[in-house]
Amino acid sequence: MNNSLKPSSAIRNFTFLPVLLFLFFPVSTLRAQNSQGSLIEYAVSMENPNNHYFHIVLNYSTSGEKSVQLKMPVWTPGYYMIMDYPKNLINFNVTGSSGNKLIWKKSSKNCWEINTESEKSVRVTYDIFAFRTSVADSFLDDGRGFISPTGIFMYPEGKKDHPVIVSIIPYEKFGEISTGLDPVPGRKNTFYAAGFDVLYDCPILAGNQEILRFETGGIPYTIAAENLGKIERKKLIEDYRKIVETSTSLIGEIPYKHYTFIMMNKGMGGLEHTNSMAVFSNRLDIGSSELSGGWLSFIAHEFFHLYNVKTIRPIVLGPFDYDRENYTDMLWFSEGVTSYYENLILNRAGLFTMEDVFRELKISISNYENIPGHLFQSVAESGFDSWMLFFNRSENASNTTISYYDKGCAIGMFLDLAIRHKSGNNRSLDDVMRTLYKVYYKGLNRGFTNAEFREVCEKTAEASLAEIFDVYIPTTAEIDYSKYLAYAGLSIDAEPVETPGTWIGTNTRDEGGNLVISRVEWNSPAYNAGLSPNDIIKEINGEKATAELLNNILSSGNPGDKISITISHRDITNNVEVMLGRKTIKSFEIKLLPNPSPEQIAILNNWLE
Ligand SMILES: [Zn+2]
């Protein structure tokens, strides 16, 4: 068992012993005490931020080895896509203790092999171009220095568990540094990680962010936000506190000693970490004084990940292989069930009504049921192939793929309702989460296999859950929603209903005055007539095509009418006849059944407030 392979354990263990050490010994003493007798210390500076380069200096004291392999990860845990971070690196240089240049060569895209010439210490310097705004990319300008650590720091092969010290030398106009890393007392802007898994799990934001603080359960929480606009700070803290308290009381144990919410403006997405999260606030309405339900769901999602995926996790998701894809077909659980818990957490925290939960579940189910992708891709496949399909969507994505967030959320609900029903309302998915945390994270210090996960679910239900595990997760078979919702005295409207007007199955966009097709739905009239994404619609029924003309024709036409469309692609112009059709969708509206049994009422009341 190696604690430093697990970020949360490492943080917990570190704060227990070394904090005491810091109180009584200078840091140099601490350094000397690391188990492998060597030092790995990074300094990151950002002198000319509008050139977008971080300058990195690594001081590495060797253990006498003749060669050192320095490796940079090619992906970031939680962001399941190969990012190839070394593409941002220039000016790699290595010197020995007297400043002499050492020889190095690259042995793969992310590995630098250094000949140490038996030097006791080597100094490595390089620059990283940081100009993409995503939670998995570093970014630097005169307003923000965001360090996504996997794309900045290299680990010496074989020493992933070695303690690391990181000093940040901020741009002169930056006043704050926010991170989940533990500060090194007495050394300004200097932080400690018990190993590289911990370092890679702790993004760092340097800038002039506003700092809000609160404490609950004896644990300090920091909110580091770039732009909160008119949002009422007190209310924000109260809402966050409720999310924290509800989530942590669900599992009953907190695996960190401090937590940091990093909130950056202008950008999309969020990424979970064991004792921090980094989120972009495009979805935050800073003109309003209150946080929207959508924003609070987002925060609840990223926060609950500290359990589901960071500690409660499929066996493949930690310790990580930073060189390549880490495949799992359980992202429906790690992501989708986290989405399911967003709703429960907000409901239990008093931030979502029962109707809010029904609405969110309806949206998740509609998102995959009303696109053709649900006929082609199971939720297990959706997660497994996320590396090539999910973050890199093509024009055809909704025809052939679904989101493991959406269907995984529904599977979470089926599991929860089935366990509640089969256990006579005595147990729920919460018991599964607590068991997984206790047995696999705490007890065995590892993730669980698919078989172990199923076993915990079925033991908790004291019944077979074969329909969910053998049919709904691995296949695209039609789902009997009513059966599961009825366990809680609810109905769900899964009847296909025709939408008003007619339909040909295209989405369009305006491109310099041209009406361009952006998406064509599988098996739709447009698809069967051979229309394609990126086709320019020149004319409809002999008139110059506009979005308004197309809408008018579709809303006033009748199914079976034929329209003539002139399209152009790659300098080829064609006339195509398209027969207008009728679109059907299912609403998945969730409502109370008229005469629920006492058992159904009890399950509903136990499930939602
Ligand atoms: Zn997530």
Side-chain angles (χ1 to χ4, degrees), residues 290-308:
E290 293 227 353
L291 299 172
S292 67
W295 180 262
L296 292 171
S297 297
F298 180 36
I299 295 299
H301 179 102
E302 301 305 344
F303 187 77
F304 192 64
H305 265 315
L306 87 93
Y307 296 114
N308 198 20

Side-chain angles (χ1 to χ4, degrees), residues 272 301-302 305 335 338 405:
E272 68 277 4
H301 179 102
E302 301 305 344
H305 265 315
E335 287 297 347
T338 302
Y405 289 81

Side-chain angles (χ1 to χ4, degrees), residues 561-581:
D561 289 354
K562 287 179 178 165
I563 59 170
S564 164
I565 297 185
T566 307
I567 52 156
S568 134
H569 53 235
R570 297 191 302 105
D571 298 331
I572 302 166
T573 301
N574 281 328
N575 279 315
V576 178
E577 200 170 66
V578 183
M579 190 189 284
L580 303 186

Side-chain angles (χ1 to χ4, degrees), residues 304-339:
F304 192 64
H305 265 315
L306 87 93
Y307 296 114
N308 198 20
V309 95
K310 284 297 170 187
T311 50
I312 299 168
R313 61 172 205 267
I315 197 149
V316 166
L317 295 182
F320 302 105
D321 181 344
Y322 294 107
D323 285 349
R324 56 186 59 83
E325 293 88 345
N326 289 213
Y327 292 106
T328 171
D329 61 5
M330 283 198 72
L331 288 188
W332 69 265
F333 175 68
S334 299
E335 287 297 347
V337 169
T338 302
S339 292

